[in-house]
Amino acid sequence: AARWCQSGAHVVGLSPSLSNINALIDRFEALGGRCVKSNHWQLGEGILQWKPMDRYLDGMQAHGRGEGDCLVIDEAAAFSFRQLESCLGHPRVAMATTLEGYEGSGRGFRIRFLNWLTQRWPKWRQLDILDPIRWSDQDELEPLLDDWLLLRASEMIAETGAQTDTIDRQNARAVCLTGAERRNVTLAAPVMGLLQQAHHRNSPNDFQALLEASDQQFWCLKHDSRVQAAAVLIEEPVVEAPLLEAIRAGERRLAGQL
């Protein structure tokens, strides 16, 4: 983005909030950039401008084209699929986001958006940051937290072969995990791993539910002690007949219930 500005380009930055691009602004100022007016920074002959996503898309719809010479989207996984798709009408776009860890939206970005992007624009370029930025790559606490919270559970089952592509329906058996079994990491890890693979909005709260939530049942399909499938069932309270009829008629809805 700085090189684009130094060449005289108008760079538009999009992010959920202005604070998300603080690192970008700090880099601009370190290179000699300065704030010239609200949400505008000048570097060389170029300008960096920050805008909320909704205002940018409203302007695109009103004028029939995207604003600026280059578009930089930070925390891209926080935006909806349709918003990102609309931004790709711009001729030059760079996106940055977190893919791993407890931020479930990053997995959704990787599973849904990147697969679609590859089909639509197969020559797009991906750059990965593999080394940690906020801590040392020799840090001992980070992998411990990953293990304790089962943040890498989906990777663990892939590495250990705890999951298979086919299910032996004749010999597999479905079991509802008891409280003690839910606290047994040998069972908890593959169950959480399967749930992480199946749904991209998992967080450490889901692991807490596995350990503590008495109103949720965790079922798994096992064969030879190997977990092949998993499901979460939530018990809902009994609804009285008059209220049930109103729900069926579309007159009432109960918040938090399916």
Side-chain angles (χ1 to χ4, degrees):
R3 286 198 297 269
W4 285 340
C5 277
Q6 288 171 332
S7 66
H10 175 195
V11 178
V12 178
L14 304 178
S15 62
S17 68
L18 179 59
S19 62
N20 292 126
I21 65 167
N22 280 343
L24 181 59
I25 296 171
D26 291 343
R27 183 59 180 162
F28 261 64
E29 293 177 345
L31 292 173
R34 58 190 179 90
C35 182
V36 292
K37 62 179 180 177
S38 178
N39 298 335
H40 288 70
W41 294 263
Q42 183 172 4
L43 179 62
E45 297 299 321
I47 289 289
L48 167 66
Q49 176 188 6
W50 176 79
K51 270 195 168 186
M53 174 67 82
D54 55 349
R55 286 181 53 195
Y56 176 81
L57 294 179
D58 288 344
M60 175 184 286
Q61 187 173 9
H63 300 99
R65 63 180 297 274
E67 187 177 356
D69 303 306
C70 314
L71 194 59
V72 177
I73 306 175
D74 196 17
E75 299 293 344
F79 295 113
S80 71
F81 184 100
R82 294 304 175 195
Q83 287 175 318
L84 296 177
E85 182 183 10
S86 298
C87 290
L88 290 178
H90 198 287
R92 183 178 290 178
V93 182
M95 299 184 185
T97 194
T98 303
L99 294 179
E100 300 296 340
Y102 64 89
E103 298 175 359
S105 56
R107 286 192 292 271
F109 179 87
R110 179 177 59 192
I111 294 170
R112 293 192 59 215
F113 182 74
L114 293 189
N115 285 343
W116 172 85
L117 183 64
T118 301
Q119 294 175 359
R120 187 73 179 272
W121 283 282
K123 294 184 179 181
W124 71 278
R125 186 180 179 189
Q126 179 173 341
L127 302 176
D128 297 312
I129 298 178
L130 302 179
D131 295 330
I133 296 176
R134 296 186 178 95
W135 55 84
S136 166
D137 58 359
Q138 303 297 322
D139 183 78
E140 297 181 357
L141 181 59
E142 185 66 19
L144 283 177
L145 291 174
D146 286 347
D147 291 340
W148 290 341
L149 299 177
L150 297 183
L151 297 181
R152 294 182 61 250
S154 60
E155 299 174 30
M156 291 165 57
I157 62 174
E159 292 170 358
T160 60
Q163 178 192 10
T164 58
D165 294 331
T166 58
I167 294 177
D168 186 344
R169 301 193 179 192
Q170 292 184 341
N171 297 313
R173 59 189 180 90
V175 295
C176 180
L177 301 182
T178 65
E181 288 173 328
R182 286 161 62 165
R183 291 186 290 273
N184 182 342
V185 69
T186 304
L187 285 173
V191 169
M192 287 302 302
L194 288 169
L195 294 176
Q196 288 173 7
Q197 290 182 346
H199 196 269
H200 56 75
R201 293 192 179 275
N202 296 99
S203 76
N205 291 339
D206 299 304
F207 181 41
Q208 182 180 12
L210 175 66
L211 298 175
E212 301 176 356
S214 59
D215 62 335
Q216 297 185 21
Q217 296 181 6
F218 287 79
W219 287 76
C220 64
L221 198 64
K222 296 175 62 179
H223 177 233
D224 292 337
S225 74
R226 176 176 293 179
V227 176
Q228 295 188 311
V232 183
L233 306 183
I234 302 176
E235 299 178 10
E236 296 184 345
V238 176
V239 180
E240 299 297 331
L243 180 56
L244 183 60
E245 291 301 322
I247 295 172
R248 287 174 176 168
E251 300 170 355
R252 291 285 304 276
R253 291 186 64 183
L254 298 183
Q257 292 198 32
L258 299 178

